[in-house]
Amino acid sequence: MTDVMTDRRPLTGQPGDPLPVSLKQARLPRWSPPVIALVSAAAGCGIGLAAGLDSRIQWGLIAALLFIVGTYALAAAVEGRRQAKDRLATSLVWIAFLLAVIPLASLLWETVARGSKVLDGYFLSHSMGTLPDAMPGGGIYHAIIGTLEQVGLATLIAAPLGLFTAIYLVEYGRGRLAKVVTFFVDVMTGIPSIVAGLFVLSVWILILGFGPSGFAGSMALAILMMPVVVRSTEEMLKLVPNELREASLALGVPKWRTILKVVLPTSIGGITTGVMLAIARIAGETAPVMLLVWGAKTINSNPFEDAQQSLPLYVFQQWQQGSEASYDRAWAAALVLIAFVMVLNLVARGIARWKAPSTGR
Amino acid sequence: MNPQAPSTPDAPPLPPPPAAGPSPVSGKAVRPGDRIFLGLSRGSGITLLVVMAAIAAFLTYRSVLAISGDHANFFTTLDWNATGTEPRFGIAVLAFGTVVSALLAMVIAVPVAVGIALFISHYAPRRLASPLGYVIDLLAAVPSIIYGLWGALFLVPHLTGLYSWLDDYLGWTGIFSYSDGAARSLFTVGILLAIMILPIVTSVSREVFLQAPKMHEEAALALGATRWEVIRMSVLPFGRSGVISASMLGLGRALGETMAVATVLSPSFLISTSLLDPGGGTFAQNIAAKFSEADTFGQDALIASGLVLFVITLLVNGAARLIIARRKEYS
């Protein structure tokens, strides 16, 4: 570009220049931020090496500090204070972004890199059985079965309840009951997962005297899932244009058939998305499963009796064992869990885009 | 009132004509299908309320059992010994650890999250912005146990260098003193929780920033404001309450987080002013750690601490909802 550092250009406007030159401020050249970044990164590494700091985090911090100060000083000298502040804000925002990307990228990278070490067909199709914890081998078949059954049962409980509650709130609710329900749905969204687990523990195990089972875990998961389903379904039902309802009612169709045949089909894509996102959320819950399902080493495909295993709990228990082999298994199970959750998320968002409700013309 | 009223608002408020057969016009003739459907949906709503009431009632009931058997003050005791003939336990350490780690997470996460949200909404190249928002939403779905595993096996070993550096220069404050050892401290927990709540705080803030009125921004630009001045004058004032409620939601998550704390923290029942040294505990972490060895009374004691956590998160979330609701009234 033409607006380089030459701020002392002759005051006579050049032909073809739309603006009088005197209105143009001095600007730093466009390549200056990356150059300052490179220089400060190099200086950060240099200082880090020279001072013998062994943590890369410190190198990064020093480099970031140099970058901020350098940009501000240069801009203040060349462009003035207001522009310097603007540059300062820009560099802070970029640094915030990089600061957040590093741990999140590292999390995904570590999981994939360490998890793929022992992940194979054998790992997916075998349980731990009687394998000693420190030995390599074993697998997560029992955990996959447990997770699928617990999450499936929780969905069977929570999805219809949540769906009907949302229908009540959007289609029927006018009075005080609807307001109270709305408020408590909000409250329920904030329940920590371990508190839901403690509730089921106090009723189902301590008072009613049942033992640990997959079903007990599903009840706690259902409590966590219900408000999420209500919220998302409510949003979707509100998107359905009122003209559709009115047209159907004007034709003499009963209200319940209007809801069933007009409102729900129009919003089914968004509702499915909401339910799948809720499933993805509860599939990774560990705390209630630990309190209520306890975990097992062998295959138990009956969710109504005896302890079961689940993927997140398996990750935790393998981490607790603390041997190299069990760390490998924990990472591999974490990779399977993350893949499961991500696939659910991607499919759900795909459905949302594919079946987006047509809101009128 | 008649729940059918909204669909037929002009129905006459007269008693139904006696035995006139099903009248197609009058809204008073409730069809059985309608009645069943209304019953089902209202019943679901009521079920939800019953569940909430039951949670509060049963947790309180078991907590009363536990607290009445406690031989020490439940709120001030610095110990957790819920077995034996003379159980003594209290939540002072847990309350301290929970509040400190969650506040630390907020202090670290909120400025960074606001930065990322501004980056996505106002700074990033447009082609990068929407995929970034998408990735942030995906990251919000990563299960907490995976953050915990990563925190324990990757983050903790990488923090010792930083901690001894902090100790060298800030150790005199007492807060940042650090004697060697694994970095399984409340400060590490705060950092990990900050990373965990970043995506959720970011995605809520980003949505608020995107809603800032375009006219205000353009007006400011037209007056010659720099990009930062535009953000400071038109975007941030508009988004302030949204950012506050987003951080409260993040705080609620950080307070109740179990697994990530349980894997990273090396707990002890001491309140120490040094946040870098191992020790301390949180409500959820203590429940996870003590549960397997607890008898029925011990479980009741843990339920009592869970009830305190429940009340704290309710207060935080309630405050967040209140701020959101007030903002809705204005806009």
Side-chain angles (χ1 to χ4, degrees):
Chain A
M1 293 291 151
T2 52
D3 50 347
V4 277
M5 283 171 89
T6 55
D7 59 328
R8 285 174 201 85
R9 280 194 281 175
L11 277 170
T12 51
Q14 284 148 8
D17 197 338
L19 283 173
V21 178
S22 57
L23 275 185
K24 277 201 163 183
Q25 262 190 314
R27 306 269 300 160
L28 284 174
R30 282 179 67 111
W31 43 262
S32 65
V35 168
I36 299 173
L38 270 179
V39 169
S40 46
C45 293
I47 294 175
L49 270 179
L53 303 171
D54 45 77
S55 167
R56 297 290 144 81
I57 300 174
Q58 292 161 21
W59 296 20
L61 284 179
I62 292 171
L65 210 67
L66 282 177
F67 175 68
I68 294 174
V69 173
T71 311
Y72 185 79
L74 254 174
V78 178
E79 298 178 333
R81 273 216 13 247
R82 283 180 56 220
Q83 298 296 331
K85 259 189 194 163
D86 184 45
R87 296 238 178 223
L88 179 70
T90 308
S91 42
L92 281 179
V93 162
W94 271 91
I95 283 171
F97 171 68
L98 291 179
L99 210 62
V101 161
I102 292 166
L104 294 173
S106 147
L107 174 92
L108 293 180
W109 169 248
E110 290 291 317
T111 312
V112 172
R114 299 199 198 183
S116 50
K117 220 184 329 177
V118 293
L119 183 61
D120 53 17
Y122 181 89
F123 187 73
L124 290 175
S125 59
H126 287 76
S127 73
M128 290 301 290
T130 53
L131 188 80
D133 290 314
M135 292 270 288
I140 54 169
Y141 183 66
H142 57 316
I144 294 177
I145 286 186
T147 288
L148 289 181
E149 286 181 351
Q150 288 150 28
V151 169
L153 277 172
T155 310
L156 279 184
I157 303 170
L161 272 174
L163 190 63
F164 272 112
T165 307
I167 289 176
Y168 174 72
L169 290 178
V170 176
E171 305 289 334
Y172 293 101
R174 296 289 181 276
R176 187 185 291 164
L177 180 64
K179 267 188 190 150
V180 174
V181 171
T182 310
F183 176 75
F184 276 102
V185 169
D186 278 346
V187 169
M188 218 170 169
T189 319
I191 294 184
S193 59
I194 195 142
V195 172
L198 285 176
F199 162 65
V200 176
L201 173 81
S202 72
V203 178
W204 188 254
I205 294 180
L206 291 181
I207 294 178
L208 295 178
F210 290 97
S213 67
F215 180 65
S218 332
M219 285 192 288
L221 294 180
I223 291 176
L224 297 172
M225 186 177 176
M226 212 153 49
V228 185
V229 175
V230 175
R231 264 287 153 274
S232 58
T233 309
E234 212 186 335
E235 294 300 319
M236 286 304 132
L237 292 181
K238 278 182 188 161
L239 283 183
V240 175
N242 245 343
E243 287 84 348
L244 288 182
R245 294 190 183 90
E246 285 159 6
S248 168
L249 290 171
L251 288 173
V253 180
K255 182 154 186 168
W256 69 279
R257 282 186 69 87
T258 304
I259 296 172
L260 217 59
K261 297 280 177 184
V262 176
V263 177
L264 286 184
T266 314
S267 52
I268 191 69
I271 295 175
T272 320
T273 303
V275 172
M276 288 180 76
L277 290 180
I279 293 176
R281 188 192 153 192
I282 61 164
E285 284 296 349
T286 319
V289 178
M290 181 174 61
L291 298 185
L292 300 165
V293 189
W294 286 17
K297 291 189 154 194
T298 50
I299 300 168
N300 171 16
S301 49
N302 180 4
F304 294 98
E305 215 163 324
D306 291 332
Q308 264 190 320
Q309 187 57 284
S310 93
L311 269 178
L313 186 58
Y314 178 90
V315 175
F316 181 63
Q317 289 180 341
Q318 290 299 321
W319 172 79
Q320 272 185 320
Q321 301 300 340
S323 68
E324 220 29 64
S326 66
Y327 281 163
D328 284 347
R329 284 193 292 265
W331 282 110
L335 179 58
V336 172
L337 181 61
I338 233 178
F340 178 64
V341 170
M342 288 296 153
V343 165
L344 266 179
N345 260 281
L346 288 174
V347 171
R349 284 164 207 273
I351 290 176
R353 190 165 292 182
W354 172 50
K355 282 228 148 197
S358 50
T359 46
R361 292 194 182 218
Chain B
M1 289 295 153
N2 184 353
Q4 296 299 303
S7 59
T8 55
D10 49 353
L14 294 172
S23 120
V25 184
S26 163
K28 293 286 171 188
V30 179
R31 298 178 183 85
D34 267 340
R35 194 174 296 158
I36 295 170
F37 212 77
L38 173 63
L40 273 177
S41 45
R42 187 186 281 163
S44 308
I46 293 174
T47 310
L48 197 138
L49 293 184
V50 169
V51 168
M52 278 305 294
I55 292 177
F58 280 102
L59 288 187
T60 313
Y61 166 62
R62 301 304 300 196
S63 309
V64 168
L65 288 185
I67 294 174
S68 60
D70 191 354
H71 284 246
N73 189 320
F74 180 66
F75 292 101
T76 57
T77 308
L78 302 177
D79 195 10
W80 194 274
N81 183 12
T83 49
T85 51
E86 219 175 79
R88 305 175 66 81
F89 53 90
I91 56 165
V93 174
L94 307 179
F96 174 79
T98 306
V99 171
V100 164
S101 60
L103 283 183
L104 257 176
M106 285 264 292
V107 170
I108 301 171
V110 169
V112 178
V114 170
I116 308 170
L118 282 177
F119 181 78
I120 295 174
S121 67
H122 286 84
Y123 281 90
R126 188 153 300 170
R127 222 176 309 147
L128 204 65
S130 76
L132 266 179
Y134 199 75
V135 169
I136 295 278
D137 284 349
L138 274 187
L139 282 170
V142 171
S144 63
I145 180 69
I146 294 175
Y147 281 101
L149 190 68
W150 177 79
L153 297 182
F154 182 84
L155 186 64
V156 165
H158 281 80
L159 281 178
T160 43
L162 178 71
Y163 281 8
S164 33
W165 187 59
L166 277 176
D167 179 44
D168 287 346
Y169 293 98
L170 293 169
W172 50 270
T173 55
I175 299 175
F176 293 110
S177 62
Y178 172 68
S179 44
D180 287 336
R184 306 179 149 276
S185 61
L186 278 181
F187 199 81
T188 313
V189 170
I191 293 176
L192 185 61
L193 288 177
I195 296 172
M196 287 183 64
I197 63 175
L198 256 184
I200 182 79
V201 180
T202 302
S203 76
V204 177
S205 313
R206 176 184 61 116
E207 256 161 46
V208 183
F209 290 154
L210 284 176
Q211 283 168 10
K214 266 268 149 354
M215 297 295 274
H216 292 192
E217 293 176 35
E218 282 164 7
L221 277 176
L223 289 174
T226 60
R227 187 153 50 171
W228 166 242
E229 284 163 346
V230 170
I231 287 171
R232 201 172 48 99
M233 290 189 300
S234 72
V235 178
L236 288 184
F238 179 85
R240 185 180 301 135
S241 62
V243 171
I244 292 174
S245 64
S247 5
M248 300 283 255
L249 289 181
L251 181 64
R253 286 218 172 166
L255 286 170
E257 178 48 45
T258 313
M259 303 323 289
V261 186
T263 48
V264 164
L265 189 69
S266 131
S268 71
F269 264 82
L270 284 173
I271 292 183
S272 149
T273 51
S274 163
L275 299 179
L276 301 187
D277 278 326
T282 74
F283 285 113
Q285 170 271 328
N286 185 53
I287 295 169
K290 295 273 162 63
F291 175 77
S292 57
E293 62 211 32
D295 54 5
T296 305
F297 182 77
Q299 294 183 353
D300 280 346
L302 293 174
I303 289 174
S305 73
L307 180 67
V308 179
L309 172 65
F310 183 48
V311 172
I312 294 176
T313 47
L314 280 197
L315 291 180
V316 169
N317 280 310
R321 301 288 167 195
L322 215 67
I323 294 169
I324 295 176
R326 197 183 292 166
R327 179 168 167 272
K328 261 185 196 150
E329 276 169 27
Y330 284 128
S331 55

